[in-house]
Amino acid sequence: MRLDRPLLPQTAARRFLGSLIKPSRILVAISGGSDSTGLLLALAEALKATPNLKISLCAATIDHALRTESAEEAQQVAAFCRSLDIAHLIKTWRGEKPKTGIVAAARDARYALLADAAESLNADIVVTAHTADDQRETLAMRSERSEQPSTGIADLVLFDRCLWVARPLLGCRREAIRDYLRARQVAWIDDPSNDDPKYERVRTRWRLAEAADVVPAPHGAADLRLSVATLASKWLDQYFIVHSALIGQVTPAGLAADREILGYAFARLAAVFGGQVFALGRKQTDDVLALIAKGELGRMTAGRVVFDLRRDGLFLVRENRGILPLTLAPAARAVWDGRFLVENAAPTEIGIVAGATVAQSGQLPRGVIRRALAAAPRIVDVAGHEAPGNVAEKVRVKPYFSPFDRFLTRFDFIFADSLAAAFGTRPYPKPPLGLIDGKSI
């Protein structure tokens, strides 16, 4: 599918503002590049043309401190925001930078700093300036790794279970945004890293520049994923049971569901119980579905999860290998094994290790219980001994869903929300948009 009629940035801005649930305060992530400068200006002009929308703007620049020029560029952006009478903050990524995986680390730091800025400026939604060109590059890169249809860059993502991030310019071409800025005699900053071939995206951009000038639109894949997620959410409500946040059970009737629903659900349940960021891959998911289809009692391991098929259903439990200990200082919080968020309100340092000894309630198979306990969190002191009661009671341990709790796309929102209900945790906040492309969320 191709995006034959790209949007002008002015049109995209008006559509986005019209879709917002009001009142609203928007934080624009602006680097000073053409895309983000165009986004801020288009939103500001649209609000000026319709001043009674009960919507306000603020902005933030994230200085990754990876180039010597970045601090000065952030000040240039601050001056531009002042000229528009828009409140602006600069947030700097401090500390030592990783030697490898810098792109992913910078992305994670960027969104965390944007969340801090949103809190400081009382914003309830963040917007970033991803474009149709970014979408095209993303789809091309993902097609190199997998034959599965990709939804590409999501137009709406929930960060850290608290802040929605929207991408209003996904239907706009970069050159159209630059034409818009040129017409208003507004300059932008060119980041030299956008031309550095050490980055995969840059190499992909150069390769695509030689191809036909069309932008594939992933709406078909996105609509399909949203449809399957909706069906899988209903399946979860009917057939899935959670025992003490350690054991997942699918009742026998649930195993007879449509293969596509089971594939979607098990790929993500495996990531949750295995503490993995990404859903289980196609081959491993197919292996799990083959175990179910065979109909014979048995076990297999995939994605750090033991799938145990018994007469009373399929049980999912974290395998008890590769579970690393965690040390937490007083007042610190961290994710243990990708499965539990631990907050230490005790006055002393504590550790979290695998191997609980508490009994599980209910009539569950002994083998399932044994594996669950071997992979369960246990609170210890600095010497590795069982933490005393007055310390342990001040340590909060709650389920953490690795594929959803840091970055949750709107395509998976309904499934993740049903999962939260199954675990008895708080629901995810609903998106602050009523419509996207004329469709309700």
mmCIF file of all heavy atoms in Angstrom, residues 313-356:
data_model
loop_
_atom_site.group_PDB
_atom_site.id
_atom_site.type_symbol
_atom_site.label_atom_id
_atom_site.label_comp_id
_atom_site.label_asym_id
_atom_site.label_seq_id
_atom_site.Cartn_x
_atom_site.Cartn_y
_atom_site.Cartn_z
ATOM 1 N N GLY A 313 -5.404 -27.480 31.189
ATOM 2 C CA GLY A 313 -5.020 -26.309 30.412
ATOM 3 C C GLY A 313 -3.526 -26.186 30.191
ATOM 4 O O GLY A 313 -2.749 -27.090 30.505
ATOM 5 N N LEU A 314 -3.145 -25.040 29.655
ATOM 6 C CA LEU A 314 -1.737 -24.739 29.392
ATOM 7 C C LEU A 314 -1.240 -23.749 30.440
ATOM 8 O O LEU A 314 -1.840 -22.697 30.647
ATOM 9 C CB LEU A 314 -1.582 -24.136 27.996
ATOM 10 C CG LEU A 314 -0.159 -23.782 27.575
ATOM 11 C CD1 LEU A 314 0.668 -25.057 27.353
ATOM 12 C CD2 LEU A 314 -0.161 -22.933 26.299
ATOM 13 N N PHE A 315 -0.122 -24.102 31.088
ATOM 14 C CA PHE A 315 0.458 -23.257 32.138
ATOM 15 C C PHE A 315 1.726 -22.592 31.606
ATOM 16 O O PHE A 315 2.529 -23.218 30.911
ATOM 17 C CB PHE A 315 0.772 -24.077 33.386
ATOM 18 C CG PHE A 315 -0.439 -24.621 34.074
ATOM 19 C CD1 PHE A 315 -0.977 -25.845 33.687
ATOM 20 C CD2 PHE A 315 -1.064 -23.915 35.091
ATOM 21 C CE1 PHE A 315 -2.105 -26.363 34.314
ATOM 22 C CE2 PHE A 315 -2.193 -24.414 35.716
ATOM 23 C CZ PHE A 315 -2.722 -25.644 35.332
ATOM 24 N N LEU A 316 1.895 -21.315 31.952
ATOM 25 C CA LEU A 316 3.082 -20.558 31.566
ATOM 26 C C LEU A 316 3.819 -20.130 32.830
ATOM 27 O O LEU A 316 3.226 -19.490 33.716
ATOM 28 C CB LEU A 316 2.710 -19.307 30.768
ATOM 29 C CG LEU A 316 2.182 -19.471 29.352
ATOM 30 C CD1 LEU A 316 0.714 -19.918 29.354
ATOM 31 C CD2 LEU A 316 2.309 -18.166 28.574
ATOM 32 N N VAL A 317 5.107 -20.471 32.912
ATOM 33 C CA VAL A 317 5.925 -20.143 34.073
ATOM 34 C C VAL A 317 7.328 -19.775 33.597
ATOM 35 O O VAL A 317 7.847 -20.391 32.660
ATOM 36 C CB VAL A 317 6.019 -21.332 35.054
ATOM 37 C CG1 VAL A 317 6.913 -20.988 36.246
ATOM 38 C CG2 VAL A 317 4.642 -21.735 35.543
ATOM 39 N N ARG A 318 7.942 -18.794 34.215
ATOM 40 C CA ARG A 318 9.327 -18.423 33.901
ATOM 41 C C ARG A 318 10.246 -19.600 34.192
ATOM 42 O O ARG A 318 10.179 -20.201 35.258
ATOM 43 C CB ARG A 318 9.722 -17.211 34.751
ATOM 44 C CG ARG A 318 11.212 -16.849 34.775
ATOM 45 C CD ARG A 318 11.670 -16.259 33.471
ATOM 46 N NE ARG A 318 12.918 -15.506 33.609
ATOM 47 C CZ ARG A 318 14.131 -15.977 33.307
ATOM 48 N NH1 ARG A 318 14.280 -17.223 32.873
ATOM 49 N NH2 ARG A 318 15.192 -15.198 33.433
ATOM 50 N N GLU A 319 11.114 -19.955 33.244
ATOM 51 C CA GLU A 319 12.101 -21.005 33.528
ATOM 52 C C GLU A 319 13.091 -20.476 34.563
ATOM 53 O O GLU A 319 13.316 -19.275 34.672
ATOM 54 C CB GLU A 319 12.825 -21.444 32.258
ATOM 55 C CG GLU A 319 13.760 -20.426 31.652
ATOM 56 C CD GLU A 319 14.599 -21.012 30.533
ATOM 57 O OE1 GLU A 319 14.875 -22.223 30.560
ATOM 58 O OE2 GLU A 319 14.982 -20.249 29.623
ATOM 59 N N ASN A 320 13.664 -21.367 35.347
ATOM 60 C CA ASN A 320 14.479 -20.917 36.480
ATOM 61 C C ASN A 320 15.962 -20.823 36.149
ATOM 62 O O ASN A 320 16.816 -21.052 37.002
ATOM 63 C CB ASN A 320 14.265 -21.822 37.699
ATOM 64 C CG ASN A 320 14.561 -23.286 37.406
ATOM 65 O OD1 ASN A 320 15.124 -23.608 36.356
ATOM 66 N ND2 ASN A 320 14.185 -24.159 38.322
ATOM 67 N N ARG A 321 16.291 -20.448 34.925
ATOM 68 C CA ARG A 321 17.685 -20.231 34.544
ATOM 69 C C ARG A 321 17.897 -18.773 34.143
ATOM 70 O O ARG A 321 16.989 -18.113 33.675
ATOM 71 C CB ARG A 321 18.065 -21.133 33.365
ATOM 72 C CG ARG A 321 18.053 -22.615 33.683
ATOM 73 C CD ARG A 321 18.630 -23.417 32.533
ATOM 74 N NE ARG A 321 17.887 -23.205 31.294
ATOM 75 C CZ ARG A 321 18.275 -23.675 30.116
ATOM 76 N NH1 ARG A 321 19.404 -24.361 30.008
ATOM 77 N NH2 ARG A 321 17.531 -23.460 29.038
ATOM 78 N N GLY A 322 19.130 -18.290 34.349
ATOM 79 C CA GLY A 322 19.487 -16.950 33.909
ATOM 80 C C GLY A 322 18.793 -15.834 34.644
ATOM 81 O O GLY A 322 18.614 -14.746 34.086
ATOM 82 N N ILE A 323 18.396 -16.056 35.879
ATOM 83 C CA ILE A 323 17.733 -15.009 36.675
ATOM 84 C C ILE A 323 18.788 -14.345 37.550
ATOM 85 O O ILE A 323 19.305 -14.954 38.485
ATOM 86 C CB ILE A 323 16.607 -15.593 37.538
ATOM 87 C CG1 ILE A 323 15.585 -16.338 36.661
ATOM 88 C CG2 ILE A 323 15.923 -14.490 38.327
ATOM 89 C CD1 ILE A 323 14.472 -17.001 37.433
ATOM 90 N N LEU A 324 19.120 -13.116 37.258
ATOM 91 C CA LEU A 324 20.201 -12.418 37.946
ATOM 92 C C LEU A 324 19.688 -11.682 39.180
ATOM 93 O O LEU A 324 18.564 -11.190 39.204
ATOM 94 C CB LEU A 324 20.860 -11.409 37.002
ATOM 95 C CG LEU A 324 21.459 -11.997 35.715
ATOM 96 C CD1 LEU A 324 22.033 -10.888 34.840
ATOM 97 C CD2 LEU A 324 22.517 -13.043 36.036
ATOM 98 N N PRO A 325 20.513 -11.596 40.231
ATOM 99 C CA PRO A 325 20.109 -10.860 41.439
ATOM 100 C C PRO A 325 20.107 -9.354 41.187
ATOM 101 O O PRO A 325 20.748 -8.855 40.260
ATOM 102 C CB PRO A 325 21.188 -11.247 42.464
ATOM 103 C CG PRO A 325 22.391 -11.580 41.636
ATOM 104 C CD PRO A 325 21.863 -12.199 40.375
ATOM 105 N N LEU A 326 19.379 -8.635 42.024
ATOM 106 C CA LEU A 326 19.290 -7.180 41.945
ATOM 107 C C LEU A 326 19.567 -6.600 43.322
ATOM 108 O O LEU A 326 19.055 -7.105 44.324
ATOM 109 C CB LEU A 326 17.890 -6.768 41.474
ATOM 110 C CG LEU A 326 17.544 -5.276 41.521
ATOM 111 C CD1 LEU A 326 18.328 -4.517 40.464
ATOM 112 C CD2 LEU A 326 16.039 -5.064 41.326
ATOM 113 N N THR A 327 20.389 -5.553 43.385
ATOM 114 C CA THR A 327 20.664 -4.851 44.642
ATOM 115 C C THR A 327 20.062 -3.459 44.565
ATOM 116 O O THR A 327 20.235 -2.755 43.564
ATOM 117 C CB THR A 327 22.182 -4.749 44.898
ATOM 118 O OG1 THR A 327 22.735 -6.066 44.964
ATOM 119 C CG2 THR A 327 22.452 -4.020 46.204
ATOM 120 N N LEU A 328 19.349 -3.080 45.621
ATOM 121 C CA LEU A 328 18.671 -1.780 45.638
ATOM 122 C C LEU A 328 19.040 -0.995 46.891
ATOM 123 O O LEU A 328 18.888 -1.486 48.017
ATOM 124 C CB LEU A 328 17.155 -1.965 45.596
ATOM 125 C CG LEU A 328 16.461 -2.092 44.234
ATOM 126 C CD1 LEU A 328 14.966 -2.159 44.433
ATOM 127 C CD2 LEU A 328 16.815 -0.934 43.328
ATOM 128 N N ALA A 329 19.477 0.245 46.680
ATOM 129 C CA ALA A 329 19.743 1.143 47.795
ATOM 130 C C ALA A 329 18.419 1.675 48.345
ATOM 131 O O ALA A 329 17.378 1.567 47.689
ATOM 132 C CB ALA A 329 20.615 2.302 47.322
ATOM 133 N N PRO A 330 18.423 2.252 49.539
ATOM 134 C CA PRO A 330 17.195 2.850 50.081
ATOM 135 C C PRO A 330 16.625 3.906 49.122
ATOM 136 O O PRO A 330 17.372 4.661 48.507
ATOM 137 C CB PRO A 330 17.665 3.495 51.386
ATOM 138 C CG PRO A 330 18.863 2.695 51.785
ATOM 139 C CD PRO A 330 19.539 2.310 50.509
ATOM 140 N N ALA A 331 15.319 3.910 48.969
ATOM 141 C CA ALA A 331 14.579 4.848 48.117
ATOM 142 C C ALA A 331 14.782 4.590 46.623
ATOM 143 O O ALA A 331 14.303 5.362 45.797
ATOM 144 C CB ALA A 331 14.935 6.296 48.452
ATOM 145 N N ALA A 332 15.460 3.518 46.259
ATOM 146 C CA ALA A 332 15.679 3.206 44.843
ATOM 147 C C ALA A 332 14.573 2.300 44.314
ATOM 148 O O ALA A 332 13.874 1.625 45.081
ATOM 149 C CB ALA A 332 17.035 2.540 44.654
ATOM 150 N N ARG A 333 14.415 2.308 42.988
ATOM 151 C CA ARG A 333 13.455 1.420 42.338
ATOM 152 C C ARG A 333 14.085 0.897 41.053
ATOM 153 O O ARG A 333 14.842 1.602 40.396
ATOM 154 C CB ARG A 333 12.122 2.132 42.061
ATOM 155 C CG ARG A 333 12.208 3.221 41.029
ATOM 156 C CD ARG A 333 11.021 4.181 41.109
ATOM 157 N NE ARG A 333 9.768 3.556 40.809
ATOM 158 C CZ ARG A 333 9.182 3.547 39.620
ATOM 159 N NH1 ARG A 333 9.797 4.134 38.581
ATOM 160 N NH2 ARG A 333 8.013 2.985 39.427
ATOM 161 N N ALA A 334 13.773 -0.346 40.706
ATOM 162 C CA ALA A 334 14.325 -0.946 39.497
ATOM 163 C C ALA A 334 13.483 -2.155 39.116
ATOM 164 O O ALA A 334 12.686 -2.668 39.917
ATOM 165 C CB ALA A 334 15.782 -1.355 39.711
ATOM 166 N N VAL A 335 13.662 -2.612 37.882
ATOM 167 C CA VAL A 335 12.954 -3.791 37.390
ATOM 168 C C VAL A 335 13.844 -5.010 37.576
ATOM 169 O O VAL A 335 15.003 -5.019 37.168
ATOM 170 C CB VAL A 335 12.578 -3.626 35.910
ATOM 171 C CG1 VAL A 335 11.925 -4.897 35.384
ATOM 172 C CG2 VAL A 335 11.636 -2.437 35.742
ATOM 173 N N TRP A 336 13.292 -6.041 38.212
ATOM 174 C CA TRP A 336 14.016 -7.293 38.433
ATOM 175 C C TRP A 336 13.560 -8.349 37.425
ATOM 176 O O TRP A 336 12.368 -8.613 37.303
ATOM 177 C CB TRP A 336 13.761 -7.802 39.861
ATOM 178 C CG TRP A 336 14.410 -9.133 40.160
ATOM 179 C CD1 TRP A 336 15.741 -9.363 40.401
ATOM 180 C CD2 TRP A 336 13.765 -10.411 40.245
ATOM 181 N NE1 TRP A 336 15.960 -10.699 40.623
ATOM 182 C CE2 TRP A 336 14.763 -11.370 40.527
ATOM 183 C CE3 TRP A 336 12.447 -10.829 40.106
ATOM 184 C CZ2 TRP A 336 14.482 -12.722 40.688
ATOM 185 C CZ3 TRP A 336 12.157 -12.172 40.248
ATOM 186 C CH2 TRP A 336 13.165 -13.114 40.543
ATOM 187 N N ASP A 337 14.506 -8.882 36.686
ATOM 188 C CA ASP A 337 14.274 -9.968 35.743
ATOM 189 C C ASP A 337 13.248 -9.619 34.667
ATOM 190 O O ASP A 337 12.667 -10.503 34.049
ATOM 191 C CB ASP A 337 13.853 -11.250 36.485
ATOM 192 C CG ASP A 337 13.941 -12.492 35.590
ATOM 193 O OD1 ASP A 337 14.978 -12.664 34.914
ATOM 194 O OD2 ASP A 337 12.976 -13.273 35.547
ATOM 195 N N GLY A 338 13.009 -8.335 34.455
ATOM 196 C CA GLY A 338 12.036 -7.932 33.453
ATOM 197 C C GLY A 338 10.599 -8.252 33.815
ATOM 198 O O GLY A 338 9.690 -8.037 33.011
ATOM 199 N N ARG A 339 10.357 -8.718 35.057
ATOM 200 C CA ARG A 339 9.015 -9.179 35.444
ATOM 201 C C ARG A 339 8.415 -8.454 36.627
ATOM 202 O O ARG A 339 7.190 -8.451 36.801
ATOM 203 C CB ARG A 339 9.052 -10.678 35.775
ATOM 204 C CG ARG A 339 9.414 -11.571 34.612
ATOM 205 C CD ARG A 339 9.395 -13.028 35.032
ATOM 206 N NE ARG A 339 10.441 -13.332 36.000
ATOM 207 C CZ ARG A 339 10.287 -14.099 37.062
ATOM 208 N NH1 ARG A 339 9.099 -14.636 37.333
ATOM 209 N NH2 ARG A 339 11.303 -14.335 37.873
ATOM 210 N N PHE A 340 9.252 -7.849 37.466
ATOM 211 C CA PHE A 340 8.734 -7.213 38.674
ATOM 212 C C PHE A 340 9.412 -5.860 38.889
ATOM 213 O O PHE A 340 10.635 -5.739 38.760
ATOM 214 C CB PHE A 340 8.960 -8.093 39.910
ATOM 215 C CG PHE A 340 8.134 -9.340 39.924
ATOM 216 C CD1 PHE A 340 8.646 -10.535 39.419
ATOM 217 C CD2 PHE A 340 6.837 -9.340 40.411
ATOM 218 C CE1 PHE A 340 7.885 -11.693 39.410
ATOM 219 C CE2 PHE A 340 6.069 -10.488 40.405
ATOM 220 C CZ PHE A 340 6.592 -11.666 39.909
ATOM 221 N N LEU A 341 8.593 -4.859 39.206
ATOM 222 C CA LEU A 341 9.113 -3.554 39.580
ATOM 223 C C LEU A 341 9.266 -3.541 41.098
ATOM 224 O O LEU A 341 8.299 -3.791 41.827
ATOM 225 C CB LEU A 341 8.151 -2.452 39.137
ATOM 226 C CG LEU A 341 8.564 -1.017 39.479
ATOM 227 C CD1 LEU A 341 9.856 -0.634 38.775
ATOM 228 C CD2 LEU A 341 7.450 -0.040 39.125
ATOM 229 N N VAL A 342 10.484 -3.260 41.564
ATOM 230 C CA VAL A 342 10.783 -3.302 42.997
ATOM 231 C C VAL A 342 11.101 -1.897 43.483
ATOM 232 O O VAL A 342 11.928 -1.193 42.899
ATOM 233 C CB VAL A 342 11.978 -4.236 43.283
ATOM 234 C CG1 VAL A 342 12.198 -4.365 44.782
ATOM 235 C CG2 VAL A 342 11.759 -5.604 42.651
ATOM 236 N N GLU A 343 10.441 -1.486 44.563
ATOM 237 C CA GLU A 343 10.680 -0.176 45.175
ATOM 238 C C GLU A 343 11.106 -0.405 46.618
ATOM 239 O O GLU A 343 10.368 -1.023 47.408
ATOM 240 C CB GLU A 343 9.419 0.681 45.104
ATOM 241 C CG GLU A 343 8.950 0.957 43.684
ATOM 242 C CD GLU A 343 7.610 1.667 43.639
ATOM 243 O OE1 GLU A 343 6.860 1.584 44.641
ATOM 244 O OE2 GLU A 343 7.319 2.311 42.621
ATOM 245 N N ASN A 344 12.275 0.102 46.974
ATOM 246 C CA ASN A 344 12.815 -0.123 48.315
ATOM 247 C C ASN A 344 12.564 1.096 49.203
ATOM 248 O O ASN A 344 13.259 2.107 49.119
ATOM 249 C CB ASN A 344 14.321 -0.406 48.228
ATOM 250 C CG ASN A 344 14.920 -0.675 49.598
ATOM 251 O OD1 ASN A 344 14.196 -0.976 50.549
ATOM 252 N ND2 ASN A 344 16.233 -0.577 49.709
ATOM 253 N N ALA A 345 11.553 0.988 50.077
ATOM 254 C CA ALA A 345 11.261 2.048 51.042
ATOM 255 C C ALA A 345 11.888 1.763 52.402
ATOM 256 O O ALA A 345 11.660 2.499 53.362
ATOM 257 C CB ALA A 345 9.745 2.212 51.191
ATOM 258 N N ALA A 346 12.691 0.697 52.469
ATOM 259 C CA ALA A 346 13.376 0.360 53.720
ATOM 260 C C ALA A 346 14.599 1.264 53.895
ATOM 261 O O ALA A 346 15.134 1.791 52.918
ATOM 262 C CB ALA A 346 13.802 -1.106 53.702
ATOM 263 N N PRO A 347 15.075 1.430 55.138
ATOM 264 C CA PRO A 347 16.227 2.322 55.377
ATOM 265 C C PRO A 347 17.569 1.679 55.041
ATOM 266 O O PRO A 347 18.610 2.321 55.190
ATOM 267 C CB PRO A 347 16.116 2.625 56.878
ATOM 268 C CG PRO A 347 15.432 1.424 57.451
ATOM 269 C CD PRO A 347 14.479 0.947 56.399
ATOM 270 N N THR A 348 17.551 0.426 54.630
ATOM 271 C CA THR A 348 18.800 -0.278 54.344
ATOM 272 C C THR A 348 18.801 -0.835 52.917
ATOM 273 O O THR A 348 17.755 -0.978 52.283
ATOM 274 C CB THR A 348 18.996 -1.457 55.318
ATOM 275 O OG1 THR A 348 17.893 -2.370 55.165
ATOM 276 C CG2 THR A 348 19.046 -0.974 56.755
ATOM 277 N N GLU A 349 19.986 -1.172 52.448
ATOM 278 C CA GLU A 349 20.120 -1.787 51.127
ATOM 279 C C GLU A 349 19.544 -3.200 51.163
ATOM 280 O O GLU A 349 19.690 -3.916 52.149
ATOM 281 C CB GLU A 349 21.601 -1.839 50.749
ATOM 282 C CG GLU A 349 21.873 -2.369 49.357
ATOM 283 C CD GLU A 349 23.345 -2.309 49.000
ATOM 284 O OE1 GLU A 349 24.088 -3.255 49.381
ATOM 285 O OE2 GLU A 349 23.766 -1.330 48.362
ATOM 286 N N ILE A 350 18.889 -3.585 50.109
ATOM 287 C CA ILE A 350 18.303 -4.924 50.030
ATOM 288 C C ILE A 350 18.669 -5.568 48.699
ATOM 289 O O ILE A 350 19.142 -4.909 47.775
ATOM 290 C CB ILE A 350 16.754 -4.894 50.208
ATOM 291 C CG1 ILE A 350 16.095 -4.002 49.136
ATOM 292 C CG2 ILE A 350 16.377 -4.426 51.599
ATOM 293 C CD1 ILE A 350 15.488 -4.718 47.987
ATOM 294 N N GLY A 351 18.433 -6.872 48.621
ATOM 295 C CA GLY A 351 18.669 -7.597 47.383
ATOM 296 C C GLY A 351 17.422 -8.379 46.995
ATOM 297 O O GLY A 351 16.592 -8.728 47.843
ATOM 298 N N ILE A 352 17.281 -8.631 45.701
ATOM 299 C CA ILE A 352 16.207 -9.477 45.195
ATOM 300 C C ILE A 352 16.856 -10.636 44.458
ATOM 301 O O ILE A 352 17.652 -10.434 43.531
ATOM 302 C CB ILE A 352 15.265 -8.722 44.241
ATOM 303 C CG1 ILE A 352 14.701 -7.470 44.904
ATOM 304 C CG2 ILE A 352 14.131 -9.632 43.775
ATOM 305 C CD1 ILE A 352 13.780 -7.735 46.071
ATOM 306 N N VAL A 353 16.533 -11.852 44.875
ATOM 307 C CA VAL A 353 17.067 -13.056 44.244
ATOM 308 C C VAL A 353 15.906 -13.989 43.915
ATOM 309 O O VAL A 353 14.780 -13.785 44.366
ATOM 310 C CB VAL A 353 18.086 -13.772 45.161
ATOM 311 C CG1 VAL A 353 19.284 -12.883 45.459
ATOM 312 C CG2 VAL A 353 17.414 -14.208 46.466
ATOM 313 N N ALA A 354 16.182 -15.001 43.127
ATOM 314 C CA ALA A 354 15.150 -15.972 42.768
ATOM 315 C C ALA A 354 15.088 -17.081 43.801
ATOM 316 O O ALA A 354 16.097 -17.478 44.380
ATOM 317 C CB ALA A 354 15.442 -16.564 41.399
ATOM 318 N N GLY A 355 13.873 -17.574 44.037
ATOM 319 C CA GLY A 355 13.711 -18.727 44.904
ATOM 320 C C GLY A 355 12.902 -18.454 46.145
ATOM 321 O O GLY A 355 13.430 -18.457 47.257
ATOM 322 N N ALA A 356 11.605 -18.190 45.977
ATOM 323 C CA ALA A 356 10.728 -17.966 47.126
ATOM 324 C C ALA A 356 10.348 -19.301 47.752
ATOM 325 O O ALA A 356 10.453 -20.358 47.129
ATOM 326 C CB ALA A 356 9.477 -17.208 46.702
#
